[in-house]
């Protein structure tokens, strides 16, 4: 179900996908945003009530101009949780969304019941620099995001339209999204999470594709060493977009952790 | 008509296979391609050329700011302008950097520009570029989404620091200063003229029109392609009820003069090739970071001048195409006179930024180009736009109040400037 949520006296108008019923699960998307329908969230909706907002600046969501940095983003999510009546919930985030989910949990330790970080951004290791996604060309993106760039899922999400109008639309959309993401990730995705991560109290699961070429799996160590109650699960034959490439094992791992 | 002799200061000795073997001339160009001893020679040659242009009667000497780049070796244009203040007398110092959003606090720019204005006795033109995406986002790490906002704030602070008679506090979003008290203040009152170089962002037209700044379109595509941009600018000016004064527009144009049209091709063709195929070989991913251009500008359909789109347009162009399509105005003095007159009229442009050293052009050829233009072309175009007042050129101190540097005296046997001539030339050095 697609809803529109007004926040903070109409400062933000949010496009949000809501799936299923059960214990609340807030999903925070990555720099690429949400697809119109997300099968992996539908699957999770069979056991949880999933809230998946488009971040301001993505999709139809507005209010991007009120968010300059991580602190603004965290307050935005805290506010959203309050308005949804789920001041405490399971929180899951992918990539940039994983970074923001960790920040939401670190700023206020009462927000996250359990935390699922899916190949999250947020750290930088000099010896293993993250490829410059912002400079990547359209034809390089599939190779960075997917274990198998030729797979139908990869093709569907990264195909370059041959029609000029469609290409322009795609290009403008991409610029809008990444411009917003640049507030947290440019030029290096380190906005101080390393100072705050120790505060996270929620049991934390890190899910990583064993062939993540964007944020290599070595970054998992950085998270487990800084978040006390955390562990890593690697998913085989998956790149950065695990939930599309290996949906079944991905959903199973999330469910097992959140219900356990 | 006014003429600014504009230098990019390229590294002239990139390898022949540069375009095929290397990723980009900008941002991540390998450092091992730079030889500081060649650089020593080049900087000095280039300063000689600017000083020569001063002697030949050009109105302005242009320098600009680029980073991590082989086609523009001026990370700090202020250093070049400072070198020029003492060895030039007549020309204005047209400093089309500083990229004001890159400096924290931006009053550093206000201070250095004020110093240059004071040292030169009021010859400074203050350039305020937003800066390319390569320079600002990729080399200097500015967040693309907030660059323009930061630029506007820096602008407000700098202009206020020049014009406000009393000390003040500045509580900006990006800069917070308890005490702003610029010392020195500029010679030109209330402030030096401001020129804003642009690459066709629609917001920049508005910004210039609203503040009465000169808009300088710095493209390498020449006047035919540039007409779209100048039309866009004049349209905005007309809509806002501003005077359509040609001196409020600057335009960069490559110009190459020889004895005859045929000789021009012989002289300049290889250097144009070097410029377009080596100096402008920029990885497309660096051309336009997401958020650097607004959606409004992207939708206005104005393409960047570097990167893939630009390269496609240049692909396979030969000397004749470059000349016919106006990328370069070249030929005998007569050809150049006629073509330039037509070009400046079609753009309604009063400030011509001349690119007369381009790519791998050696010093002798630059000197020839510079002097032929000064004697055989410039005088014939001076009559353009005499009905208009140029409100965008510096107003310097009265001639009789301007300090003259003391002459340099060398003792016999000491190394002086003359020693540079027999020293190993940049050509010989790079050949090793």
């Amino acid at each position: 179900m697609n809803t529109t949520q007004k926040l903070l006296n109409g400062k933000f108008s949010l496009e949000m996908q809501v799936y299923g019923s059960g214990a609340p699960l807030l999903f925070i998307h990555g720099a690429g945003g949400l697809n119109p329908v997300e099968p992996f969230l539908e699957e999770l909706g069979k056991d949880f009530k999933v809230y998946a907002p488009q971040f301001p600046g993505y999709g139809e969501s507005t209010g991007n101009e009120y968010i300059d940095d991580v602190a603004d983003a965290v307050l935005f999510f805290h506010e959203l949780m309050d308005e949804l009546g789920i001041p405490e919930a399971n929180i899951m985030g992918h990539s940039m969304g994983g970074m923001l989910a960790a920040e939401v949990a670190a700023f206020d330790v009462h927000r996250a019941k359990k935390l699922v970080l899916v190949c999250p951004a947020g750290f930088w290791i000099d010896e293993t620099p993250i490829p410059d996604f912002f400079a990547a060309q359209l034809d390089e993106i599939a190779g960075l995001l997917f274990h198998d760039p030729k797979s139908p899922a990869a093709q569907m999400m990264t195909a370059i339209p041959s029609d000029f109008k469609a290409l322009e639309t795609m290009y403008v959309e991409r610029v809008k999204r990444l411009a917003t993401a640049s507030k947290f990730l440019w030029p290096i995705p380190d906005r101080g999470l390393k100072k705050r991560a120790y505060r996270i109290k929620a049991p934390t699961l890190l899910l990583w594709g064993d062939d993540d070429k964007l944020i290599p799996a070595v970054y998992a160590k950085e998270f487990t060493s800084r978040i006390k109650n955390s562990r890593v699960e690697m998913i085989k034959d998956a790149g950065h977009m695990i939930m599309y490439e290996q949906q079944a094992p991905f959903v199973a791992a999330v469910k097992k952790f959140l219900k356990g | 008509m006014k003429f600014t002799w504009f230098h990019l200061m390229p590294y002239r000795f990139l390898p022949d296979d540069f375009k095929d073997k290397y990723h980009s001339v900008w941002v991540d160009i390998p450092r091992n391609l730079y030889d500081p001893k060649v650089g020593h020679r080049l900087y000095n040659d280039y300063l000689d050329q600017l000083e020569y242009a001063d002697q030949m009667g050009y109105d302005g000497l242009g320098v600009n700011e680029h980073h991590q780049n082989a086609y523009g070796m001026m990370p700090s244009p202020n250093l070049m302008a400072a070198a020029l203040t003492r060895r030039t007398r007549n020309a204005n110092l047209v400093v089309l950097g500083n990229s004001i959003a890159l400096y924290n606090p931006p009053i550093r720019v206000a201070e250095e520009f004020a110093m240059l204005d004071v040292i030169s006795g009021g010859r400074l033109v203050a350039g305020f570029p937003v800066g390319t995406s390569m320079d600002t986002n990729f080399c200097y790490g500015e967040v693309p989404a907030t660059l323009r906002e930061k630029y506007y704030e820096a602008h407000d602070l700098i202009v206020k620091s020049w014009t406000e008679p009393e000390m003040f506090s500045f509580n900006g979003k990006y800069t917070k200063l308890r005490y702003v008290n610029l010392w020195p203040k500029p010679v030109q009152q209330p402030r030096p003229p401001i020129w804003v170089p642009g690459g066709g962002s629609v917001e920049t037209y508005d910004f210039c029109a609203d503040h009465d700044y000169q808009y300088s379109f710095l493209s390498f595509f020449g006047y035919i392609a540039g007409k779209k941009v100048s039309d866009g600018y004049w349209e905005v000016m007309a809509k806002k009820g501003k005077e359509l004064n040609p001196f409020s527009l600057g335009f960069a144009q490559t110009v190459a003069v020889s004895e005859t049209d045929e000789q021009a091709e012989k002289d300049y063709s290889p250097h144009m090739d070097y410029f377009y195929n080596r100096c402008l070989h920029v990885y497309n991913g660096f051309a336009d970071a997401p958020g650097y251009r607004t959606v409004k500008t992207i939708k206005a359909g104005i393409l960047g001048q570097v990167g893939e789109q630009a390269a496609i347009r240049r692909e396979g162009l030969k000397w004749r195409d470059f000349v016919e399509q106006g990328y370069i105005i070249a030929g005998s003095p007569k050809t150049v006179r006629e073509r330039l007159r037509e070009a400046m009229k079609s753009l309604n442009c009063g400030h011509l930024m001349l690119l007369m050293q381009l790519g791998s052009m050696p010093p002798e050829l630059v000197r020839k180009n510079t002097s032929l233009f000064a004697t055989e072309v410039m005088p014939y175009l001076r009559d353009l736009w005499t009905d208009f007042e140029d409100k965008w050129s510096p107003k310097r101190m009265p001639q009789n109040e301007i300090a003259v540097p003391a002459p340099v005296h060398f003792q016999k046997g000491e190394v002086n400037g003359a020693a540079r001539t027999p020293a190993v030339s940049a050509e010989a050095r790079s050949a090793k």
Side-chain angles (χ1 to χ4, degrees), chain B residues 7-279:
Chain B
H7 218 314
L8 301 174
M9 303 200 175
Y11 195 76
R12 290 172 40 217
F13 301 100
L14 296 174
D16 293 342
D17 57 0
F18 182 76
K19 195 178 163 189
D20 303 318
K21 259 179 83 179
Y22 295 91
H23 186 238
S24 179
V25 77
W26 217 321
V27 182
D28 62 356
I29 181 168
R31 295 186 73 221
N32 63 12
L33 294 178
Y34 189 87
D35 177 347
K37 287 187 175 166
V38 169
H40 164 75
R41 185 74 200 201
L42 289 181
Y43 277 128
N44 283 289
D45 283 350
Y46 290 163
L47 286 165
D48 286 348
Q49 289 160 17
L50 285 158
E51 288 166 9
Y52 181 63
D54 174 58
Q55 291 161 26
M56 295 303 291
Y58 290 79
D59 302 284
L61 307 176
V63 288
N64 68 351
E65 171 179 345
H66 289 302
H67 303 276
Q68 301 178 194
N69 175 354
Y71 99 73
M73 297 194 299
M74 284 183 283
S76 171
N78 297 0
L79 291 181
M80 295 295 100
L84 291 169
T85 51
R86 294 276 292 176
R87 299 244 304 178
T88 60
R89 287 287 167 279
N90 305 307
N92 297 317
L93 305 168
V94 181
V95 187
L96 288 189
N98 302 175
S99 302
I100 55 178
L102 302 185
Y103 300 95
N104 286 322
I107 51 162
R108 175 72 179 197
V109 173
E111 289 170 337
E112 291 193 3
F113 271 170
M115 284 178 73
L116 286 170
D117 198 45
V118 170
I119 298 171
S120 68
R123 285 192 281 143
L124 179 78
V125 169
F128 285 5
V130 175
T132 69
S133 192
M134 290 78 81
D135 292 318
T136 57
N137 306 133
F138 287 98
C139 298
Y140 265 40
E142 287 295 332
V143 173
T146 48
L147 176 71
R148 200 164 275 274
E149 186 181 59
K150 201 173 171 199
Y151 169 88
Y152 291 138
E153 184 181 297
H155 160 268
D156 294 348
L157 171 56
I158 291 169
V159 171
K160 195 172 177 191
S161 77
W162 280 339
T163 53
E164 194 73 8
E166 308 284 338
M167 182 169 77
F168 63 92
S169 298
F170 189 83
N171 182 23
K173 182 168 160 185
Y174 299 95
T175 302
K176 295 185 192 296
L177 295 168
R178 189 69 183 79
Y179 305 101
V180 182
N181 194 22
L182 208 69
W183 187 270
K185 64 181 186 185
V187 156
Q188 297 185 75
Q189 287 298 312
R191 56 164 177 79
I194 293 171
W195 294 10
V196 181
S201 283
V202 288
E203 292 77 12
T204 310
Y205 303 154
D206 287 331
F207 183 71
C208 288
D210 293 342
H211 291 86
D212 291 325
Y213 297 155
Q214 193 244 46
Y215 178 70
S216 290
F217 183 48
L218 304 187
S219 114
F220 302 120
F221 292 152
Y223 74 101
I224 295 173
K227 178 127 175 65
K228 189 179 170 194
V229 169
S230 71
D231 285 351
Y233 171 68
W234 291 123
E235 204 178 296
V236 168
M237 292 288 277
K239 236 183 241 165
K240 290 178 184 278
K242 301 283 177 182
E243 185 195 8
L244 305 185
N245 184 328
F247 292 107
S248 73
L249 177 70
F251 189 82
Q253 175 70 51
T254 303
V255 176
V257 200
S258 265
E259 294 77 7
T260 63
D261 292 357
E262 295 72 34
Q263 188 60 37
E265 177 172 357
K266 260 186 219 148
D267 285 342
Y268 300 106
S269 181
H271 308 296
M272 291 302 120
D273 181 72
Y274 182 97
F275 180 71
Y276 284 105
N277 289 314
R278 280 181 239 183
C279 293

Side-chain angles (χ1 to χ4, degrees), chain A residues 214-227:
Chain A
L214 189 64
I215 308 181
V218 294
Y219 277 84
K221 246 201 190 149
E222 201 65 23
F223 279 86
T224 49
S225 73
R226 291 176 192 275
I227 301 173

Side-chain angles (χ1 to χ4, degrees), chain B residues 329 332-343 377 381:
Chain B
I329 291 180
S332 70
K334 182 169 176 290
T335 304
V336 171
R337 267 181 227 162
E338 288 167 4
R339 203 103 198 260
L340 256 186
R341 179 175 286 273
E342 174 203 326
V377 180
L381 295 172

Side-chain angles (χ1 to χ4, degrees), chain A residues 68 132 135 137 140 178-179 186, chain B residues 137-138 142 145 173 283-285:
Chain A
D68 288 324
D132 189 353
Q137 298 297 282
E140 296 166 339
L178 290 187
W186 187 284
Chain B
N137 306 133
F138 287 98
E142 287 295 332
K173 182 168 160 185
Y283 170 58
N284 200 37

Side-chain angles (χ1 to χ4, degrees), chain A residues 79-119:
Chain A
E79 194 75 26
L80 174 65
M81 292 176 80
D82 289 345
E83 298 229 353
L84 290 173
I86 53 163
E88 188 195 37
N90 295 312
I91 304 176
M92 173 163 90
H94 172 237
S95 195
M96 173 184 87
M99 167 186 182
L100 294 176
E103 294 279 19
V104 165
F107 269 66
D108 179 351
V109 297
H110 306 297
R111 292 289 173 174
K113 225 167 147 174
K114 286 187 178 176
L115 195 57
V116 182
L117 306 178
V118 186
C119 37

